């Protein structure tokens, strides 16, 4: 309430008018009212039982009213907005005026008990996960078998709603991450990637590779590992950023921009908090990643470790080789990569090998199902 009411007050006085209350706090007011109503009703019942020890405690009507009503639903609405709220907050904190609002107007308030806004915003998520514990404790102490059965079924429904919510939150988080990657990763045209391909200007429009920009639009794809490496070319070392997905590997060149996100020229650009801190910082600096070569499907990728003996001979450190093969098993590209440390190299090799193994297993299972014909009849 300190943060929310202070922001409302400032906006009434025409400060921070562009800050969206809903994006930060969602349905928090409604959630607080319902939660408080549940707690008051719950404790009133307990107090009544204490004052009249001979009267039985009727929790069923209270639990039915709230848990089959709006209590879990309002929590779900808030929780689904939570990731987006953190996303939004992290970018607002880059602003000087919003920083003054947080630190001087809110965080110094005694009611906040030195807690920051991110620590307070997560509280409703924690409360939702505690409701099954409450229901379980009531179930243990209940003596009526009918009531015990009802409370147990209610507990299972709440637990299922939490599991469903976790799946939705993960899906939304993954969706936001990939939407950000679509903005950051640039796919050059084939004639820009390789000067061997000559296309007259009059034909370029008809050959535009628009579909390449939608490669990352699938919400079912997963980003398994990412990070910065060095690519050894014939005449230079190139900073690259690799994205290992669950079906292909993407090698990109790092391009820096002098303009930073959040400045007066570019406006406030949100940065997804689930991305690595390194990539978040890179995006805020206005950087982007240009695709170096076509994506390498995991079933066309061969990984080779570079022996330590070559380290001294060719001045290679923490190096490994990635080979891209076509469907005829011909090598069409080779990338000699160097990690920052031996540990980082081992992690990359392990992650790629695991991704290839999982990808192969999944596709072999699909093939076996597709080619699984029913047994022949004995009469044929």
């Amino acid at each position: 309430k300190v943060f929310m009411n202070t922001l409302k007050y400032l906006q009434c006085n025409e400060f921070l008018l562009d800050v969206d209350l809903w994006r930060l706090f969602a349905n928090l007011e409604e959630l607080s009212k319902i939660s408080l109503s549940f707690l008051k009703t719950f404790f009133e019942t307990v107090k009544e039982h204490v004052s009249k020890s001979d009267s039985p405690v009727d929790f069923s009507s209270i639990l039915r009213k709230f848990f089959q009503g709006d209590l879990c639903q309002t929590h779900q609405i808030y929780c689904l907005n939570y990731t987006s709220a953190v996303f939004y907050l992290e970018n607002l904190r880059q602003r000087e005026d919003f920083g003054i609002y947080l630190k001087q107007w809110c965080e110094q308030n005694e009611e906040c008990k030195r807690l920051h806004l991110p620590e307070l915003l997560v509280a409703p998520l924690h409360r939702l996960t505690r409701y099954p514990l409450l229901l379980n404790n009531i179930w243990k102490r209940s003596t009526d078998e009918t009531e015990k059965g009802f409370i147990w079924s209610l507990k299972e429904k709440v637990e299922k709603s939490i599991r469903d919510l976790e799946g939705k939150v993960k899906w939304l988080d993954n969706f936001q991450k990939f939407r950000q990657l679509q903005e950051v990763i640039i796919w050059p045209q084939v004639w820009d990637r390789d000067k061997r391909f000559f296309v007259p200007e009059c034909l370029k429009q008809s050959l535009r590779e628009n579909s390449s920009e939608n490669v990352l639009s699938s919400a079912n794809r997963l980003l398994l590992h990412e990070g910065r490496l060095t690519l050894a070319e014939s005449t230079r070392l190139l900073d690259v950023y690799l994205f290992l997905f669950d079906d292909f590997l993407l090698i990109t060149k790092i391009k820096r921009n002098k303009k930073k996100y959040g400045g007066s020229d570019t406006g406030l650009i949100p940065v997804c908090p689930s991305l690595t801190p390194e990539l978040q910082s890179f995006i805020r600096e206005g950087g982007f990643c240009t695709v170096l070569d076509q994506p390498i499907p995991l079933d066309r990728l061969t990984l080779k470790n570079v022996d330590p003996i070559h380290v001294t001979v060719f001045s290679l450190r923490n190096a490994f080789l990635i080979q891209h093969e076509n469907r005829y098993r011909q090598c069409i590209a080779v990338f000699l990569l160097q990690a920052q440390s031996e540990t980082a190299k081992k992690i990359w090799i392990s992650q790629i090998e695991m991704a290839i193994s999982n990808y192969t297993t999944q596709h072999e299972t699909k093939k076996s199902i597709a080619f699984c014909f029913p047994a022949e009849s004995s009469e044929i």
Side-chain angles (χ1 to χ4, degrees), residues 24-81:
L24 267 183
F25 301 105
N27 63 332
L28 190 57
E29 286 183 299
E30 180 192 8
L31 179 59
S32 297
K33 287 177 183 177
I34 292 173
S35 298
L36 185 59
S37 176
F38 167 64
L39 290 172
K40 281 183 176 179
T41 309
F42 187 85
F43 283 114
E44 281 172 6
T45 306
V46 173
K47 285 178 182 179
E48 187 178 344
H49 172 69
V50 171
S51 60
K52 301 175 182 178
S53 57
D54 56 333
S55 64
V57 186
D58 180 23
F59 281 128
S60 298
S61 58
I62 303 168
L63 300 177
R64 182 178 286 108
K65 176 185 176 182
F66 287 97
F67 283 99
Q68 290 185 344
D70 296 333
L71 186 63
C72 287
Q73 186 179 359
T74 50
H75 269 90
Q76 284 208 350
I77 292 169
Y78 179 86
C79 293
L80 284 171
N81 186 73

Side-chain angles (χ1 to χ4, degrees), residues 186-193 209 212 289-293:
I186 308 298
W187 299 78
Q189 301 297 334
V190 64
W191 50 84
D192 293 327
R193 288 203 310 262
E209 298 176 326
S212 63
C289 301
T290 303
V291 175
L292 187 67
D293 201 17

Side-chain angles (χ1 to χ4, degrees), residues 205-219:
Q205 189 60 37
S206 61
L207 295 175
R208 296 280 176 195
E209 298 176 326
N210 294 327
S211 59
S212 63
E213 298 174 3
N214 300 321
V215 171
L216 301 179
S217 62
S218 173

